[in-house]
Amino acid sequence: MHTFEFVRPENPAAAIATAAKAKTAQQGADVRFVAGGTTLIDLMKLNVETPARLIDINRLPLDKIETTTDGGLKIGATVRNSDLAHHATVQRDYAVLSQALLSGATAQLRNMATTAGNLLQRTRCMYFRDTAMPCNKREPGTGCPAITGSNRTLAIFGTSVHCIATNPSDMCVAMAALEAIIHVQGPKGTRAIPIGDFHLLPGSTPNRETMLEPGDLITHVTLPPPRPGSKQVYLKLRDRASYEFALASAAVVITIAGGKVTQARIALGGVGTKPWRSPEAEAALVGKPADAANFRRAAEAAMRNAKPQSENGFKIELAKRCLTHALKMATTA
Ligand SMILES: Cc1cc2nc3c(=O)[nH]c(=O)nc-3n(C[C@H](O)[C@H](O)[C@H](O)COP(=O)(O)OP(=O)(O)OC[C@H]3O[C@@H](n4cnc5c(N)ncnc54)[C@H](O)[C@@H]3O)c2cc1C
Ligand code: SF4
Protein backbone atom coordinates (compact mmCIF):
# COMPACT_ATOMS: atom_id res chain seq x y z
CA MET A 1 0.00 0.00 0.00
CA HIS A 2 1.27 3.53 -0.76
CA THR A 3 2.07 6.01 2.01
CA PHE A 4 -0.49 8.56 3.16
CA GLU A 5 -1.07 11.16 5.86
CA PHE A 6 -3.70 10.36 8.52
CA VAL A 7 -5.57 13.24 10.19
CA ARG A 8 -8.16 13.28 12.99
CA PRO A 9 -10.17 16.53 12.96
CA GLU A 10 -12.07 17.53 16.09
CA ASN A 11 -15.14 18.93 14.32
CA PRO A 12 -16.98 18.69 10.96
CA ALA A 13 -15.84 22.16 9.82
CA ALA A 14 -12.17 21.17 10.10
CA ALA A 15 -12.82 17.90 8.27
CA ILE A 16 -14.64 19.69 5.45
CA ALA A 17 -11.94 22.38 5.11
CA THR A 18 -9.26 19.70 4.70
CA ALA A 19 -11.30 17.62 2.23
CA ALA A 20 -12.21 20.71 0.19
CA LYS A 21 -8.56 20.85 -0.95
CA ALA A 22 -9.10 17.63 -2.97
CA LYS A 23 -9.29 17.91 -6.76
CA THR A 24 -12.32 15.63 -6.86
CA ALA A 25 -14.63 13.69 -4.54
CA GLN A 26 -14.93 10.94 -7.15
CA GLN A 27 -12.59 8.14 -8.32
CA GLY A 28 -8.98 9.26 -7.95
CA ALA A 29 -9.65 11.61 -5.01
CA ASP A 30 -6.42 12.63 -3.29
CA VAL A 31 -8.20 13.25 0.03
CA ARG A 32 -10.72 10.80 1.49
CA PHE A 33 -12.83 10.62 4.61
CA VAL A 34 -12.52 7.25 6.32
CA ALA A 35 -15.27 5.80 8.52
CA GLY A 36 -15.38 2.01 9.01
CA GLY A 37 -12.71 1.58 6.33
CA THR A 38 -14.24 -1.66 5.03
CA THR A 39 -14.47 -0.38 1.45
CA LEU A 40 -11.74 2.24 1.37
CA ILE A 41 -8.89 0.34 3.01
CA ASP A 42 -9.63 -2.73 0.84
CA LEU A 43 -9.33 -0.60 -2.28
CA MET A 44 -6.16 1.09 -1.01
CA LYS A 45 -4.55 -2.33 -0.51
CA LEU A 46 -5.38 -3.07 -4.16
CA ASN A 47 -4.05 0.35 -5.29
CA VAL A 48 -7.45 1.15 -6.77
CA GLU A 49 -7.70 4.10 -4.35
CA THR A 50 -4.49 6.00 -3.62
CA PRO A 51 -5.41 9.04 -1.49
CA ALA A 52 -2.53 11.08 -0.09
CA ARG A 53 -4.63 12.04 2.95
CA LEU A 54 -7.16 10.17 5.04
CA ILE A 55 -9.47 12.13 7.31
CA ASP A 56 -10.76 9.97 10.15
CA ILE A 57 -14.35 11.06 10.86
CA ASN A 58 -14.99 8.61 13.67
CA ARG A 59 -14.55 11.24 16.39
CA LEU A 60 -17.13 13.60 14.88
CA PRO A 61 -20.54 13.77 16.60
CA LEU A 62 -22.36 11.96 13.79
CA ASP A 63 -23.21 8.67 15.51
CA LYS A 64 -26.77 9.19 16.80
CA ILE A 65 -30.13 7.76 15.74
CA GLU A 66 -32.92 10.19 16.65
CA THR A 67 -36.60 10.74 15.85
CA THR A 68 -37.32 13.94 13.92
CA THR A 69 -40.00 16.50 14.81
CA ASP A 70 -42.21 15.24 11.94
CA GLY A 71 -42.05 11.64 13.25
CA GLY A 72 -39.34 10.45 10.87
CA LEU A 73 -35.85 9.20 11.69
CA LYS A 74 -32.44 10.90 11.60
CA ILE A 75 -29.51 8.52 11.17
CA GLY A 76 -25.99 9.88 11.75
CA ALA A 77 -23.35 9.24 9.10
CA THR A 78 -21.14 7.15 11.39
CA VAL A 79 -23.92 5.00 12.86
CA ARG A 80 -22.71 1.42 12.40
CA ASN A 81 -24.79 -0.84 10.18
CA SER A 82 -25.32 -3.31 13.05
CA ASP A 83 -26.53 -0.58 15.46
CA LEU A 84 -28.96 0.69 12.83
CA ALA A 85 -30.26 -2.78 11.98
CA HIS A 86 -30.94 -3.61 15.65
CA HIS A 87 -32.40 -0.22 16.66
CA ALA A 88 -35.91 -0.73 18.08
CA THR A 89 -37.52 2.03 15.95
CA VAL A 90 -35.91 0.72 12.78
CA GLN A 91 -37.06 -2.83 13.51
CA ARG A 92 -40.62 -1.64 14.23
CA ASP A 93 -41.19 1.11 11.64
CA TYR A 94 -38.56 0.54 8.94
CA ALA A 95 -38.25 -3.25 8.94
CA VAL A 96 -37.17 -3.31 5.29
CA LEU A 97 -34.05 -1.34 6.25
CA SER A 98 -33.19 -3.62 9.17
CA GLN A 99 -33.61 -6.72 6.97
CA ALA A 100 -31.50 -5.23 4.17
CA LEU A 101 -28.67 -4.33 6.54
CA LEU A 102 -28.68 -7.77 8.16
CA SER A 103 -28.53 -9.44 4.74
CA GLY A 104 -25.25 -7.65 3.93
CA ALA A 105 -21.68 -8.80 4.52
CA THR A 106 -21.01 -10.41 7.93
CA ALA A 107 -21.60 -9.47 11.56
CA GLN A 108 -17.96 -8.35 11.89
CA LEU A 109 -18.17 -6.10 8.83
CA ARG A 110 -21.54 -4.68 9.89
CA ASN A 111 -20.01 -3.76 13.27
CA MET A 112 -17.53 -1.50 11.43
CA ALA A 113 -19.48 -0.37 8.34
CA THR A 114 -21.26 2.99 8.62
CA THR A 115 -24.34 4.57 7.08
CA ALA A 116 -22.40 7.03 4.89
CA GLY A 117 -19.74 4.48 3.96
CA ASN A 118 -22.44 2.06 2.83
CA LEU A 119 -23.98 4.79 0.64
CA LEU A 120 -20.58 5.21 -1.00
CA GLN A 121 -19.41 1.61 -1.32
CA ARG A 122 -17.92 0.80 -4.71
CA THR A 123 -18.83 -1.78 -7.30
CA ARG A 124 -17.55 -5.35 -6.98
CA CYS A 125 -16.86 -5.56 -10.75
CA MET A 126 -13.67 -7.66 -10.86
CA TYR A 127 -12.00 -5.48 -13.51
CA PHE A 128 -12.47 -2.37 -11.37
CA ARG A 129 -10.59 -4.05 -8.54
CA ASP A 130 -7.73 -5.30 -10.72
CA THR A 131 -5.24 -2.60 -11.72
CA ALA A 132 -3.71 -4.91 -14.36
CA MET A 133 -6.95 -4.54 -16.35
CA PRO A 134 -8.42 -1.54 -18.17
CA CYS A 135 -11.55 -0.02 -16.62
CA ASN A 136 -13.37 3.22 -17.51
CA LYS A 137 -14.54 3.67 -13.95
CA ARG A 138 -11.03 3.44 -12.51
CA GLU A 139 -9.15 5.06 -15.40
CA PRO A 140 -11.45 6.96 -17.75
CA GLY A 141 -10.93 6.20 -21.44
CA THR A 142 -9.22 2.83 -21.00
CA GLY A 143 -12.29 0.75 -21.93
CA CYS A 144 -14.74 -1.66 -20.34
CA PRO A 145 -13.60 -5.29 -20.56
CA ALA A 146 -16.72 -6.45 -18.69
CA ILE A 147 -18.94 -5.82 -21.72
CA THR A 148 -17.25 -8.62 -23.68
CA GLY A 149 -15.91 -10.41 -20.60
CA SER A 150 -17.14 -11.61 -17.25
CA ASN A 151 -20.44 -9.86 -16.57
CA ARG A 152 -22.62 -12.47 -14.84
CA THR A 153 -23.01 -10.36 -11.70
CA LEU A 154 -23.26 -6.99 -13.44
CA ALA A 155 -26.16 -4.67 -14.27
CA ILE A 156 -29.17 -4.92 -16.57
CA PHE A 157 -30.55 -1.45 -15.81
CA GLY A 158 -28.90 1.94 -16.22
CA THR A 159 -25.89 0.68 -18.16
CA SER A 160 -23.99 2.56 -20.86
CA VAL A 161 -21.43 1.56 -23.49
CA HIS A 162 -18.81 2.83 -21.03
CA CYS A 163 -19.77 0.85 -17.89
CA ILE A 164 -22.18 -1.87 -16.79
CA ALA A 165 -21.13 -2.17 -13.13
CA THR A 166 -23.73 -2.99 -10.48
CA ASN A 167 -24.19 -0.94 -7.34
CA PRO A 168 -23.67 -3.60 -4.65
CA SER A 169 -25.41 -2.05 -1.64
CA ASP A 170 -28.36 -3.68 0.13
CA MET A 171 -28.96 -0.77 2.50
CA CYS A 172 -29.38 1.69 -0.39
CA VAL A 173 -32.11 -0.44 -1.98
CA ALA A 174 -34.17 -0.31 1.21
CA MET A 175 -33.47 3.41 1.54
CA ALA A 176 -34.67 3.94 -2.05
CA ALA A 177 -38.00 2.26 -1.20
CA LEU A 178 -38.21 4.37 1.98
CA GLU A 179 -37.42 7.57 0.03
CA ALA A 180 -34.47 8.55 2.23
CA ILE A 181 -32.84 11.98 2.06
CA ILE A 182 -29.04 12.30 2.20
CA HIS A 183 -27.82 15.37 4.11
CA VAL A 184 -24.48 16.83 3.10
CA GLN A 185 -22.39 19.64 4.59
CA GLY A 186 -19.81 21.15 2.28
CA PRO A 187 -17.67 24.26 1.81
CA LYS A 188 -20.71 26.10 0.35
CA GLY A 189 -23.21 25.04 3.03
CA THR A 190 -25.69 22.20 3.50
CA ARG A 191 -27.73 20.24 0.96
CA ALA A 192 -30.49 17.65 1.22
CA ILE A 193 -30.41 15.17 -1.67
CA PRO A 194 -33.17 12.59 -2.30
CA ILE A 195 -31.56 9.15 -2.57
CA GLY A 196 -32.92 8.77 -6.11
CA ASP A 197 -30.74 11.71 -7.21
CA PHE A 198 -27.69 10.93 -5.08
CA HIS A 199 -26.17 8.14 -7.22
CA LEU A 200 -25.44 8.94 -10.87
CA LEU A 201 -25.88 6.73 -13.92
CA PRO A 202 -22.51 5.87 -15.54
CA GLY A 203 -23.20 7.53 -18.91
CA SER A 204 -19.85 8.60 -20.38
CA THR A 205 -18.35 9.36 -16.93
CA PRO A 206 -18.56 6.15 -14.86
CA ASN A 207 -15.72 7.48 -12.67
CA ARG A 208 -18.29 9.96 -11.31
CA GLU A 209 -20.68 7.99 -9.09
CA THR A 210 -22.48 10.49 -6.86
CA MET A 211 -23.43 14.16 -6.57
CA LEU A 212 -20.61 14.76 -4.06
CA GLU A 213 -18.06 17.56 -4.60
CA PRO A 214 -14.70 18.08 -2.85
CA GLY A 215 -15.23 18.75 0.87
CA ASP A 216 -18.77 17.33 0.96
CA LEU A 217 -19.29 15.41 4.20
CA ILE A 218 -22.42 13.29 4.56
CA THR A 219 -23.65 14.24 8.03
CA HIS A 220 -26.83 12.17 8.26
CA VAL A 221 -29.70 10.50 6.44
CA THR A 222 -33.37 11.14 7.20
CA LEU A 223 -36.29 8.81 6.63
CA PRO A 224 -39.83 10.19 6.29
CA PRO A 225 -42.39 9.19 8.94
CA PRO A 226 -43.38 5.53 8.56
CA ARG A 227 -46.41 4.79 6.38
CA PRO A 228 -49.19 3.69 8.77
CA GLY A 229 -50.05 0.02 8.28
CA SER A 230 -47.37 -0.56 5.64
CA LYS A 231 -45.93 -4.06 5.19
CA GLN A 232 -42.22 -4.24 4.48
CA VAL A 233 -39.87 -6.92 3.20
CA TYR A 234 -36.32 -7.08 1.84
CA LEU A 235 -35.59 -10.26 -0.08
CA LYS A 236 -32.07 -10.96 -1.36
CA LEU A 237 -31.12 -13.77 -3.77
CA ARG A 238 -27.43 -14.67 -4.07
CA ASP A 239 -25.03 -17.50 -4.87
CA ARG A 240 -24.66 -18.51 -1.19
CA ALA A 241 -26.64 -17.75 1.93
CA SER A 242 -24.22 -15.32 3.60
CA TYR A 243 -21.17 -13.15 2.94
CA GLU A 244 -22.30 -12.60 -0.64
CA PHE A 245 -23.67 -9.74 -2.74
CA ALA A 246 -27.13 -9.81 -4.35
CA LEU A 247 -27.73 -11.24 -7.81
CA ALA A 248 -31.20 -9.79 -7.41
CA SER A 249 -32.99 -8.27 -4.45
CA ALA A 250 -36.27 -6.48 -3.82
CA ALA A 251 -37.32 -3.94 -1.21
CA VAL A 252 -41.07 -3.69 -0.80
CA VAL A 253 -43.06 -1.14 1.22
CA ILE A 254 -46.75 -1.74 0.54
CA THR A 255 -50.08 -0.69 2.05
CA ILE A 256 -53.30 -2.59 1.51
CA ALA A 257 -56.91 -1.65 2.31
CA GLY A 258 -59.98 -3.71 1.48
CA GLY A 259 -57.83 -6.27 -0.33
CA LYS A 260 -56.41 -3.67 -2.74
CA VAL A 261 -53.00 -2.01 -2.86
CA THR A 262 -53.27 1.64 -1.86
CA GLN A 263 -49.56 2.52 -1.87
CA ALA A 264 -46.41 0.76 -3.07
CA ARG A 265 -42.74 1.67 -3.01
CA ILE A 266 -40.52 -0.83 -4.80
CA ALA A 267 -36.75 -0.85 -5.32
CA LEU A 268 -34.49 -3.53 -6.77
CA GLY A 269 -30.88 -4.44 -5.99
CA GLY A 270 -28.21 -6.43 -7.82
CA VAL A 271 -29.60 -5.37 -11.19
CA GLY A 272 -28.92 -1.64 -11.56
CA THR A 273 -25.92 0.62 -11.93
CA LYS A 274 -27.55 2.45 -9.01
CA PRO A 275 -30.13 1.34 -6.43
CA TRP A 276 -33.08 0.80 -8.78
CA ARG A 277 -36.47 2.25 -7.85
CA SER A 278 -39.25 0.80 -9.99
CA PRO A 279 -42.08 3.27 -10.67
CA GLU A 280 -43.32 0.75 -13.27
CA ALA A 281 -43.94 -1.91 -10.62
CA GLU A 282 -45.47 0.64 -8.26
CA ALA A 283 -47.93 1.86 -10.95
CA ALA A 284 -48.84 -1.72 -11.82
CA LEU A 285 -49.76 -2.46 -8.19
CA VAL A 286 -51.68 0.57 -6.95
CA GLY A 287 -55.46 0.14 -7.09
CA LYS A 288 -55.21 -3.58 -7.91
CA PRO A 289 -56.16 -6.57 -5.74
CA ALA A 290 -53.17 -7.78 -3.71
CA ASP A 291 -52.93 -11.22 -5.30
CA ALA A 292 -50.31 -13.43 -6.92
CA ALA A 293 -51.37 -12.63 -10.50
CA ASN A 294 -50.99 -8.89 -9.94
CA PHE A 295 -47.67 -9.34 -8.14
CA ARG A 296 -46.31 -11.22 -11.16
CA ARG A 297 -47.70 -8.50 -13.48
CA ALA A 298 -45.89 -5.87 -11.42
CA ALA A 299 -42.66 -7.87 -11.68
CA GLU A 300 -43.10 -8.14 -15.46
CA ALA A 301 -43.58 -4.36 -15.61
CA ALA A 302 -40.48 -3.79 -13.47
CA MET A 303 -38.27 -5.81 -15.82
CA ARG A 304 -39.74 -4.64 -19.15
CA ASN A 305 -36.83 -2.30 -19.98
CA ALA A 306 -34.02 -4.54 -18.74
CA LYS A 307 -31.00 -4.84 -21.04
CA PRO A 308 -29.09 -8.05 -20.28
CA GLN A 309 -25.40 -8.56 -21.00
CA SER A 310 -23.90 -11.73 -22.52
CA GLU A 311 -23.85 -13.68 -19.21
CA ASN A 312 -26.59 -12.20 -17.05
CA GLY A 313 -29.86 -12.70 -18.94
CA PHE A 314 -30.89 -15.06 -16.11
CA LYS A 315 -31.24 -12.01 -13.85
CA ILE A 316 -34.45 -10.98 -15.60
CA GLU A 317 -36.43 -14.03 -14.50
CA LEU A 318 -34.59 -14.16 -11.17
CA ALA A 319 -35.52 -10.55 -10.38
CA LYS A 320 -39.13 -11.16 -11.42
CA ARG A 321 -39.40 -14.12 -9.06
CA CYS A 322 -37.63 -12.18 -6.33
CA LEU A 323 -40.07 -9.27 -6.51
CA THR A 324 -43.14 -11.52 -6.85
CA HIS A 325 -42.07 -13.52 -3.81
CA ALA A 326 -41.18 -10.43 -1.77
CA LEU A 327 -44.67 -9.05 -2.43
CA LYS A 328 -46.23 -12.35 -1.33
CA MET A 329 -44.08 -12.39 1.82
CA ALA A 330 -45.00 -8.79 2.66
CA THR A 331 -48.72 -9.27 2.19
CA THR A 332 -49.01 -12.59 4.00
CA ALA A 333 -46.71 -11.74 6.92
C1 LIG B 1 -16.16 -8.97 2.25
C2 LIG B 1 -17.21 -7.92 2.16
C3 LIG B 1 -18.53 -8.30 1.93
C4 LIG B 1 -19.53 -7.33 1.83
N1 LIG B 1 -20.83 -7.70 1.57
C5 LIG B 1 -21.79 -6.76 1.45
C6 LIG B 1 -23.14 -7.09 1.14
O1 LIG B 1 -23.51 -8.26 1.01
N2 LIG B 1 -24.03 -6.08 1.02
C7 LIG B 1 -23.69 -4.78 1.15
O2 LIG B 1 -24.55 -3.90 1.02
N3 LIG B 1 -22.43 -4.43 1.42
C8 LIG B 1 -21.48 -5.37 1.57
N4 LIG B 1 -20.19 -5.00 1.82
C9 LIG B 1 -19.83 -3.60 1.78
C10 LIG B 1 -19.97 -2.89 3.11
O3 LIG B 1 -21.34 -2.70 3.38
C11 LIG B 1 -19.25 -1.56 2.94
O4 LIG B 1 -17.87 -1.83 2.82
C12 LIG B 1 -19.49 -0.63 4.10
O5 LIG B 1 -20.86 -0.33 4.23
C13 LIG B 1 -18.70 0.66 3.90
O6 LIG B 1 -18.81 1.44 5.07
P1 LIG B 1 -17.48 2.00 5.79
O7 LIG B 1 -17.94 2.84 6.89
O8 LIG B 1 -16.57 0.88 6.14
O9 LIG B 1 -16.90 2.87 4.60
P2 LIG B 1 -15.40 3.37 4.36
O10 LIG B 1 -14.60 2.27 3.75
O11 LIG B 1 -14.85 4.03 5.56
O12 LIG B 1 -15.70 4.49 3.28
C14 LIG B 1 -16.26 4.18 2.03
C15 LIG B 1 -16.29 5.46 1.19
O13 LIG B 1 -17.19 6.39 1.78
C16 LIG B 1 -16.52 7.64 2.02
N5 LIG B 1 -17.14 8.17 3.24
C17 LIG B 1 -17.32 7.52 4.42
N6 LIG B 1 -18.01 8.30 5.27
C18 LIG B 1 -18.27 9.46 4.61
C19 LIG B 1 -18.99 10.66 4.95
N7 LIG B 1 -19.57 10.82 6.15
N8 LIG B 1 -19.08 11.64 4.02
C20 LIG B 1 -18.51 11.49 2.80
N9 LIG B 1 -17.83 10.40 2.43
C21 LIG B 1 -17.72 9.40 3.32
C22 LIG B 1 -15.07 7.27 2.14
O14 LIG B 1 -14.25 8.38 1.82
C23 LIG B 1 -14.95 6.16 1.12
O15 LIG B 1 -14.80 6.70 -0.17
C24 LIG B 1 -19.18 -5.97 1.97
C25 LIG B 1 -17.87 -5.59 2.23
C26 LIG B 1 -16.88 -6.54 2.32
C27 LIG B 1 -15.47 -6.12 2.60
S1 SF4 C 1 -18.27 -2.45 -15.87
FE1 SF4 C 1 -17.52 -0.47 -15.19
S2 SF4 C 1 -16.30 -1.03 -13.40
FE2 SF4 C 1 -16.51 -2.90 -14.64
S3 SF4 C 1 -14.79 -2.89 -16.12
FE3 SF4 C 1 -16.47 -1.88 -17.11
S4 SF4 C 1 -16.04 0.28 -16.67
FE4 SF4 C 1 -14.90 -0.88 -15.18
Side-chain angles (χ1 to χ4, degrees), residues 287-312:
K288 304 279 170 25
D291 61 28
N294 284 322
F295 295 163
R296 177 71 193 188
R297 272 186 211 110
E300 301 277 353
M303 301 311 291
R304 198 158 290 141
N305 298 320
K307 287 205 180 94
Q309 311 299 322
S310 58
E311 295 181 344
N312 66 6

Side-chain angles (χ1 to χ4, degrees), residues 123 125 127-128 135-137 144-146 154 162-165:
T123 183
C125 174
Y127 303 105
F128 173 71
C135 167
N136 283 330
K137 188 183 277 298
C144 175
L154 300 188
H162 303 282
C163 181
I164 58 171

Side-chain angles (χ1 to χ4, degrees), residues 170-185:
D170 293 299
M171 182 195 82
C172 291
V173 182
M175 284 192 174
L178 292 168
E179 300 183 314
I181 306 284
I182 319 299
H183 297 263
V184 172
Q185 194 177 331

Side-chain angles (χ1 to χ4, degrees), residues 52-329:
R53 257 184 185 193
L54 287 193
I55 305 169
D56 181 358
I57 61 167
N58 288 292
R59 280 191 192 171
L60 305 183
L62 304 173
D63 60 349
K64 301 276 184 305
I65 303 174
E66 297 157 295
T67 47
T68 56
T69 48
D70 67 352
L73 200 67
K74 177 180 175 186
I75 305 162
T78 58
V79 169
R80 307 287 151 177
N81 286 180
S82 45
D83 292 336
L84 186 56
H86 293 295
H87 193 272
T89 307
V90 176
Q91 289 187 328
R92 187 189 63 219
D93 295 336
Y94 305 98
V96 67
L97 178 58
S98 177
Q99 292 167 24
L101 286 161
L102 293 175
S103 77
T106 60
Q108 292 87 345
L109 282 158
R110 294 193 295 267
N111 285 343
M112 289 302 293
T114 62
T115 309
N118 199 323
L119 282 166
L120 294 170
Q121 65 173 287
R122 315 296 304 277
T123 183
R124 310 305 285 198
C125 174
M126 60 188 259
Y127 303 105
F128 173 71
R129 295 169 69 86
D130 182 352
T131 55
M133 298 299 294
C135 167
N136 283 330
K137 188 183 277 298
R138 184 170 24 80
E139 282 182 66
T142 55
C144 175
I147 290 173
T148 51
S150 179
N151 55 43
R152 178 177 174 273
T153 61
L154 300 188
I156 55 175
F157 285 113
T159 56
S160 74
V161 294
H162 303 282
C163 181
I164 58 171
T166 325
N167 181 297
S169 173
D170 293 299
M171 182 195 82
C172 291
V173 182
M175 284 192 174
L178 292 168
E179 300 183 314
I181 306 284
I182 319 299
H183 297 263
V184 172
Q185 194 177 331
K188 294 181 198 149
T190 57
R191 279 157 33 241
I193 307 167
I195 190 162
D197 299 333
F198 182 75
H199 297 98
L200 305 177
L201 293 173
S204 58
T205 53
N207 54 307
R208 196 174 162 74
E209 296 183 338
T210 67
M211 304 265 289
L212 296 183
E213 300 290 345
D216 280 348
L217 174 73
I218 296 173
T219 52
H220 60 283
V221 173
T222 51
L223 301 179
R227 291 172 186 273
S230 71
K231 311 277 188 193
Q232 305 183 13
V233 160
Y234 185 76
L235 179 63
K236 175 175 177 179
L237 304 183
R238 46 191 156 168
D239 282 329
R240 57 182 175 195
S242 86
Y243 205 32
E244 187 55 278
F245 293 88
L247 288 169
S249 71
V252 168
V253 180
I254 190 166
T255 315
I256 294 167
K260 289 193 173 170
V261 178
T262 52
Q263 274 186 327
R265 296 286 179 271
I266 307 288
L268 304 171
V271 290
T273 52
K274 59 187 262 184
W276 204 255
R277 177 95 177 255
S278 179
E280 297 87 354
E282 294 170 8
L285 285 165
V286 173
K288 304 279 170 25
D291 61 28
N294 284 322
F295 295 163
R296 177 71 193 188
R297 272 186 211 110
E300 301 277 353
M303 301 311 291
R304 198 158 290 141
N305 298 320
K307 287 205 180 94
Q309 311 299 322
S310 58
E311 295 181 344
N312 66 6
F314 73 95
K315 282 195 178 189
I316 295 180
E317 182 56 28
L318 189 72
K320 283 181 190 171
R321 291 185 191 191
C322 184
L323 177 53
T324 306
H325 197 64
L327 286 163
K328 278 186 204 161
M329 288 167 68

